[in-house]
Amino acid sequence: MNSAEWHARIELRGRVTGAGFLVAPRTVLTCAHVVGDGGELAVSFTELPGTPPVPARILAHGGWSGGAADPGDLAVLELDREMPIAPAALAPVGAAHGTPPRKLVVYGYPAGFDEGTLAEYRVTAPQLIMREWLQLEVWHAGGQPLAPGFSGAAVTLADTGEVIGMVTAAADAREVRTGRMMPTQVMARYWPALQGLVPTADHTTADRARLRALVERAARAGVDCDPVRLYSAAADPFDPPPPEEGFDSLWSAALFVLCELDGPGAARTVARFADRVEALLHTPAAPAAAPAAPDWSPILVELGHSGAGDHLVRVEVSAYSEGRRHPVDSGTVEQHRLHAYVQDRIEAAFRYLTPGADELVAFALPRDWLDWPVDRWESAPDDATPLGCLYPLVVTDHARRKASTRHVLTRAWKRLDAFPGARLHRVECGGPEEPGRLRMRLRRPDACLAGFGTAPATSRTRPQFDVSLTAPAPVIVWSRGGCGSGQEDCAGADGCTGKAFLDALDACVAAVPPAELPRHILALREEAHAEEDHWARGIQLLWDDPRVFADPHAVAAAHAGSPVA
């Protein structure tokens, strides 16, 4: 109830007649009997001292006929202007009941309390009276009774401040401390638009409170964002699409998430949406022109089977600058000399890069080598700093360098350029998704990043990993450490290291544009290098934007003797 500025006082012809509550920037709900014929209506917000009353008109009416027991005692008011106030948060249907009974709080304006006063109540029973009302009774015998001036007040849960209904009547006899409220599901019967403001029961109280608090902070801070893009980046593949007309505010998008999504995945979408809002709050204000994506100038290290035994590796190192590929060196190297050979050729490749360009070290590997810890290789003979802690470093699959895959990936990356964050599709370490269904999800237009909770090369998720490579998913991230429990038994429960990895990854990349991921993973690797138990220790990033690399077939003639060109 703290700072509940949405409580409203209703005035008819200059006289206080009851209460109400703000449910949208220009919309207040109250009782029909509070507003009468609607002449000279005004609404005051007493929790904003000094704010003048706002003129209002009746927008909708429940059809109340005037009798104390007549149904439809609801009026919807439209204010003359929008209020810079966070609307009331509604609770899921049925939240008023519990064992023990839940304490309810009502904020009204009875005679002598123009500033408002509180009353504590509880629901007598879940039984509706005439399919219209729930009976209220006082929380303790000496409490404030309901009286004229409480009509139209929101009935809220004492512990969360969420609204479960509206006071419509008090007992006639002074010694009887009971009253009636119209629950939100009945109010929605008379004003269907309210249905879109009542959250589903699939979201926890904590998740609802966190999202609303973050959105309120963002609204007060004037955070500028595209709510449709924010929702699309957070939504699961089978969540409903945003409405065709879009969202008119961040509040609208948040209410859509809370009120339209249900089922097992709803909580994950709420968490991702909240993470993205939180990331917006922590992003420094940008200048008028948003910073451009990195202009990557990559060094490509291609490793392949030599065909002459496992102790020999075929290596080719190239540098890319201003769209041109510059061969650095190639050869067949013994395994024990491989690190030193790569160190030396990477250093030589820097001579070809445009001064000041964004360097990127990329390893193109055979599929069975994709889990190699190349980011942990020392950067130089006299510098033990891991390569992945010195430069943005990624891996990619040799097989994805064929023309057809590059064509599909290029199209995908053109879409991803507009994404505000890297949307994660989780492949849990226990009970992984069926490969065919996963392929369908990864081929959707909004697919971006496939995240694995365990090392795919040694786990039961290998079929899903192969599908992610061939779909193709533009970005794949996994932990080389993976889930520490038995793969057949793990169901991604709490305590699973794979689940913890994916949870941390999702929160970490939610607001990172896909093009920025190599640089962001570099920062994570630096943190993990300094902290032994860091969740990102062993993180592997497969990042594949073909636009960064010249077409290998365009220079094939210059490297006809190389089996990995």
Side-chain angles (χ1 to χ4, degrees):
M1 294 292 287
N2 292 339
S3 304
E5 298 169 340
W6 46 262
H7 288 294
R9 183 178 64 194
I10 311 301
E11 303 169 15
L12 178 63
R13 301 184 183 91
R15 183 174 64 86
V16 176
T17 55
F21 53 102
L22 190 78
V23 293
R26 292 185 61 181
T27 308
V28 169
L29 301 185
T30 186
C31 291
H33 77 261
V34 168
V35 298
D37 59 8
E40 296 182 32
L41 275 176
V43 176
S44 299
F45 295 91
T46 55
E47 290 301 297
L48 290 176
T51 303
V54 183
R57 69 179 184 89
I58 298 176
L59 180 67
H61 195 285
W64 181 66
S65 300
D70 288 340
D73 192 5
L74 172 72
V76 182
L77 308 185
E78 182 181 56
L79 304 180
D80 191 49
R81 65 177 184 273
E82 290 190 0
M83 297 301 299
I85 297 173
L90 274 57
V93 172
H97 319 296
T99 305
R102 302 195 69 174
K103 181 187 288 188
L104 309 176
V105 177
V106 181
Y107 193 135
Y109 300 92
F113 293 94
D114 284 351
E115 74 285 1
T117 191
L118 299 171
E120 295 178 338
Y121 275 74
R122 63 184 168 209
V123 171
T124 303
Q127 172 68 49
L128 279 176
I129 299 172
M130 292 181 59
R131 300 182 64 247
E132 188 84 2
W133 307 286
L134 288 174
Q135 180 168 300
L136 297 174
E137 60 184 38
V138 291
W139 183 255
H140 53 81
Q144 164 71 46
L146 292 178
F150 277 101
S151 292
V155 181
T156 64
L157 298 170
D159 52 351
T160 69
E162 294 176 309
V163 176
I164 59 166
M166 177 182 72
V167 175
T168 57
D172 291 334
R174 294 181 59 86
E175 65 275 10
V176 180
R177 295 179 175 238
T178 62
R180 289 178 178 177
M181 80 166 187
M182 183 185 293
T184 53
Q185 67 267 31
V186 175
M187 297 168 72
R189 187 195 309 158
Y190 297 111
W191 188 50
L194 191 66
Q195 293 175 353
L197 304 177
V198 179
T200 69
D202 295 283
H203 311 301
T204 67
T205 300
D207 286 344
R208 295 195 306 271
R210 178 184 177 231
L211 178 56
R212 286 170 174 144
L214 287 169
V215 172
E216 182 174 355
R217 284 174 54 197
R220 290 183 181 279
V223 171
D224 186 24
C225 69
D226 182 343
V228 172
R229 286 174 57 186
L230 201 68
Y231 169 74
S232 299
D236 267 341
F238 295 121
D239 285 337
E244 291 185 5
E245 68 275 14
F247 301 116
D248 58 9
S249 67
L250 189 57
W251 274 115
S252 297
L255 287 170
F256 186 86
V257 170
L258 290 175
C259 305
E260 299 296 331
L261 305 189
D262 53 18
R268 291 195 297 269
T269 301
V270 168
R272 282 194 296 268
F273 190 89
D275 289 340
R276 282 160 173 76
V277 176
E278 188 168 28
L280 288 173
L281 287 166
H282 290 94
T283 300
D295 184 15
W296 295 118
S297 189
I299 296 170
L300 179 64
V301 181
E302 299 183 80
L303 306 182
H305 298 285
S306 69
D310 292 340
H311 66 292
L312 294 175
V313 179
R314 182 69 186 175
V315 186
E316 181 170 344
V317 180
S318 308
Y320 289 77
S321 179
E322 298 178 346
R324 296 181 57 197
R325 183 180 186 181
H326 304 274
V328 176
D329 202 357
S330 63
T332 301
V333 183
E334 294 175 321
Q335 278 263 18
H336 70 276
R337 295 181 50 244
L338 181 59
H339 294 191
Y341 184 95
V342 170
Q343 287 172 351
D344 182 67
R345 273 53 177 187
I346 288 178
E347 182 62 29
F350 271 94
R351 296 197 299 267
Y352 297 94
L353 302 188
T354 303
D358 295 299
E359 75 275 7
L360 174 73
V361 177
F363 281 79
L365 305 170
R367 189 161 299 180
D368 56 336
W369 292 358
L370 283 174
D371 208 34
W372 275 17
V374 290
D375 60 296
R376 305 298 300 169
W377 290 3
E378 294 181 355
S379 56
D382 57 349
D383 185 358
T385 305
L387 276 170
C389 294
L390 198 58
Y391 312 115
L393 185 147
V394 303
V395 300
T396 187
D397 179 15
H398 268 315
R400 286 165 53 121
R401 294 186 51 80
K402 61 185 181 181
S404 59
T405 304
R406 288 168 61 83
H407 177 82
V408 175
L409 280 170
T410 300
R411 186 172 63 230
W413 274 99
K414 287 181 178 179
R415 292 194 299 266
L416 294 184
D417 285 344
F419 278 36
R423 179 174 169 271
L424 173 69
H425 181 80
R426 303 164 66 107
V427 182
E428 305 283 359
C429 52
E433 192 172 15
E434 194 273 328
R437 182 179 290 265
L438 176 62
R439 179 183 298 278
M440 292 174 57
R441 291 193 175 189
L442 294 178
R443 292 185 71 86
R444 288 169 59 98
D446 57 350
C448 176
L449 191 160
F452 287 75
T454 187
T458 57
S459 76
R460 62 189 297 216
T461 57
R462 183 56 191 254
Q464 289 76 12
F465 183 65
D466 290 341
V467 162
S468 300
L469 289 169
T470 58
V475 184
I476 307 175
V477 179
W478 66 94
S479 168
R480 290 193 300 268
C483 174
S485 64
Q487 293 303 307
E488 295 297 327
D489 301 327
C490 180
D494 291 339
C496 166
T497 54
K499 178 181 182 299
F501 173 84
L502 291 177
D503 289 345
L505 177 67
D506 198 3
C508 194
V509 304
V512 180
E516 294 273 4
L517 281 171
R519 185 179 291 157
H520 196 72
I521 297 298
L522 164 64
L524 283 177
R525 285 172 172 151
E526 288 181 293
E527 293 176 12
H529 186 58
E531 302 174 26
E532 186 174 347
D533 295 327
H534 196 283
W535 67 268
R537 196 172 185 84
I539 194 171
Q540 195 82 327
L541 171 65
L542 190 148
W543 183 94
D544 208 0
D545 184 350
R547 300 170 300 177
V548 172
F549 305 94
D551 185 353
H553 301 287
V555 293
H559 303 279
S562 170
V564 295

Short mmCIF file of all heavy atoms in Angstrom, two decimals, residues 103-104 118-122 137-146 177-178:
data_model
loop_
_atom_site.label_atom_id
_atom_site.label_comp_id
_atom_site.label_asym_id
_atom_site.label_seq_id
_atom_site.Cartn_x
_atom_site.Cartn_y
_atom_site.Cartn_z
N LYS A 103 -5.91 -10.71 5.11
CA LYS A 103 -6.32 -9.37 5.53
C LYS A 103 -6.47 -8.48 4.31
O LYS A 103 -5.62 -8.46 3.42
CB LYS A 103 -5.29 -8.77 6.48
CG LYS A 103 -5.68 -7.37 6.99
CD LYS A 103 -4.58 -6.70 7.79
CE LYS A 103 -4.43 -7.36 9.16
NZ LYS A 103 -3.49 -6.58 10.02
N LEU A 104 -7.57 -7.72 4.28
CA LEU A 104 -7.87 -6.81 3.19
C LEU A 104 -7.91 -5.39 3.72
O LEU A 104 -8.34 -5.14 4.86
CB LEU A 104 -9.23 -7.16 2.56
CG LEU A 104 -9.42 -8.63 2.15
CD1 LEU A 104 -10.84 -8.85 1.64
CD2 LEU A 104 -8.40 -9.04 1.12
N LEU A 118 -8.37 4.41 6.56
CA LEU A 118 -8.26 3.00 6.22
C LEU A 118 -9.20 2.15 7.05
O LEU A 118 -9.50 2.47 8.21
CB LEU A 118 -6.83 2.51 6.44
CG LEU A 118 -5.73 3.19 5.62
CD1 LEU A 118 -4.35 2.75 6.10
CD2 LEU A 118 -5.89 2.85 4.15
N ALA A 119 -9.64 1.04 6.46
CA ALA A 119 -10.42 0.04 7.18
C ALA A 119 -9.87 -1.34 6.82
O ALA A 119 -9.43 -1.55 5.68
CB ALA A 119 -11.89 0.13 6.82
N GLU A 120 -9.87 -2.25 7.80
CA GLU A 120 -9.35 -3.59 7.58
C GLU A 120 -10.50 -4.59 7.60
O GLU A 120 -11.31 -4.60 8.52
CB GLU A 120 -8.32 -3.96 8.65
CG GLU A 120 -7.07 -3.09 8.61
CD GLU A 120 -6.09 -3.44 9.71
OE1 GLU A 120 -6.51 -4.04 10.73
OE2 GLU A 120 -4.89 -3.14 9.56
N TYR A 121 -10.53 -5.44 6.59
CA TYR A 121 -11.63 -6.40 6.44
C TYR A 121 -11.10 -7.75 5.98
O TYR A 121 -9.90 -7.94 5.77
CB TYR A 121 -12.67 -5.85 5.43
CG TYR A 121 -13.66 -4.92 6.09
CD1 TYR A 121 -13.28 -3.62 6.46
CD2 TYR A 121 -14.94 -5.33 6.37
CE1 TYR A 121 -14.17 -2.78 7.09
CE2 TYR A 121 -15.85 -4.49 7.00
CZ TYR A 121 -15.45 -3.22 7.37
OH TYR A 121 -16.36 -2.40 8.00
N ARG A 122 -12.01 -8.68 5.86
CA ARG A 122 -11.73 -9.98 5.25
C ARG A 122 -13.02 -10.48 4.59
O ARG A 122 -14.11 -9.98 4.88
CB ARG A 122 -11.25 -10.99 6.29
CG ARG A 122 -12.25 -11.31 7.37
CD ARG A 122 -11.64 -12.23 8.41
NE ARG A 122 -12.47 -12.35 9.60
CZ ARG A 122 -11.99 -12.59 10.82
NH1 ARG A 122 -10.70 -12.73 11.00
NH2 ARG A 122 -12.80 -12.69 11.85
N GLU A 137 -16.37 -8.63 6.22
CA GLU A 137 -16.58 -8.44 7.65
C GLU A 137 -15.30 -7.87 8.24
O GLU A 137 -14.21 -8.03 7.70
CB GLU A 137 -16.94 -9.77 8.34
CG GLU A 137 -15.90 -10.85 8.21
CD GLU A 137 -16.34 -12.16 8.82
OE1 GLU A 137 -17.55 -12.51 8.71
OE2 GLU A 137 -15.48 -12.83 9.41
N VAL A 138 -15.45 -7.15 9.37
CA VAL A 138 -14.29 -6.44 9.94
C VAL A 138 -13.22 -7.44 10.37
O VAL A 138 -13.50 -8.57 10.77
CB VAL A 138 -14.70 -5.59 11.17
CG1 VAL A 138 -15.55 -4.43 10.74
CG2 VAL A 138 -15.38 -6.43 12.23
N TRP A 139 -11.96 -7.01 10.26
CA TRP A 139 -10.82 -7.85 10.62
C TRP A 139 -10.76 -8.04 12.14
O TRP A 139 -10.46 -9.12 12.63
CB TRP A 139 -9.53 -7.21 10.10
CG TRP A 139 -8.31 -8.03 10.36
CD1 TRP A 139 -7.33 -7.80 11.28
CD2 TRP A 139 -7.92 -9.23 9.68
NE1 TRP A 139 -6.38 -8.77 11.22
CE2 TRP A 139 -6.70 -9.66 10.25
CE3 TRP A 139 -8.48 -9.99 8.66
CZ2 TRP A 139 -6.04 -10.81 9.82
CZ3 TRP A 139 -7.83 -11.13 8.22
CH2 TRP A 139 -6.63 -11.52 8.80
N HIS A 140 -11.05 -6.96 12.90
CA HIS A 140 -11.13 -7.08 14.36
C HIS A 140 -12.26 -6.17 14.85
O HIS A 140 -12.62 -5.18 14.20
CB HIS A 140 -9.80 -6.74 15.04
CG HIS A 140 -9.23 -5.41 14.65
ND1 HIS A 140 -9.64 -4.23 15.21
CD2 HIS A 140 -8.26 -5.10 13.74
CE1 HIS A 140 -8.95 -3.23 14.68
NE2 HIS A 140 -8.12 -3.72 13.78
N ALA A 141 -12.80 -6.49 15.99
CA ALA A 141 -14.07 -5.91 16.45
C ALA A 141 -14.02 -4.39 16.55
O ALA A 141 -15.03 -3.72 16.31
CB ALA A 141 -14.46 -6.51 17.80
N GLY A 142 -12.91 -3.80 16.93
CA GLY A 142 -12.86 -2.35 17.13
C GLY A 142 -12.46 -1.58 15.91
O GLY A 142 -12.17 -0.39 16.00
N GLY A 143 -12.48 -2.21 14.76
CA GLY A 143 -11.99 -1.56 13.55
C GLY A 143 -12.97 -0.57 12.96
O GLY A 143 -14.14 -0.50 13.34
N GLN A 144 -12.47 0.22 12.02
CA GLN A 144 -13.29 1.21 11.32
C GLN A 144 -14.37 0.50 10.49
O GLN A 144 -14.08 -0.34 9.65
CB GLN A 144 -12.38 2.02 10.38
CG GLN A 144 -13.09 2.82 9.31
CD GLN A 144 -13.85 4.01 9.87
OE1 GLN A 144 -13.33 4.76 10.68
NE2 GLN A 144 -15.09 4.19 9.43
N PRO A 145 -15.64 0.85 10.73
CA PRO A 145 -16.70 0.22 9.92
C PRO A 145 -16.77 0.87 8.54
O PRO A 145 -16.32 2.00 8.34
CB PRO A 145 -17.97 0.52 10.73
CG PRO A 145 -17.65 1.81 11.43
CD PRO A 145 -16.18 1.75 11.76
N LEU A 146 -17.33 0.13 7.59
CA LEU A 146 -17.62 0.73 6.29
C LEU A 146 -18.75 1.72 6.47
O LEU A 146 -19.68 1.50 7.24
CB LEU A 146 -18.01 -0.35 5.29
CG LEU A 146 -16.91 -1.33 4.88
CD1 LEU A 146 -17.45 -2.38 3.91
CD2 LEU A 146 -15.73 -0.60 4.24
N ARG A 177 -21.03 -4.83 11.50
CA ARG A 177 -19.84 -4.33 10.79
C ARG A 177 -19.51 -5.22 9.59
O ARG A 177 -18.49 -5.93 9.59
CB ARG A 177 -18.66 -4.23 11.75
CG ARG A 177 -18.91 -3.19 12.82
CD ARG A 177 -17.76 -3.09 13.81
NE ARG A 177 -18.00 -2.00 14.73
CZ ARG A 177 -17.18 -0.96 14.91
NH1 ARG A 177 -16.07 -0.88 14.22
NH2 ARG A 177 -17.48 -0.01 15.78
N THR A 178 -20.40 -5.22 8.64
CA THR A 178 -20.17 -5.97 7.42
C THR A 178 -20.44 -5.07 6.22
O THR A 178 -20.90 -3.93 6.36
CB THR A 178 -21.08 -7.22 7.32
OG1 THR A 178 -22.44 -6.78 7.31
CG2 THR A 178 -20.84 -8.16 8.48
#
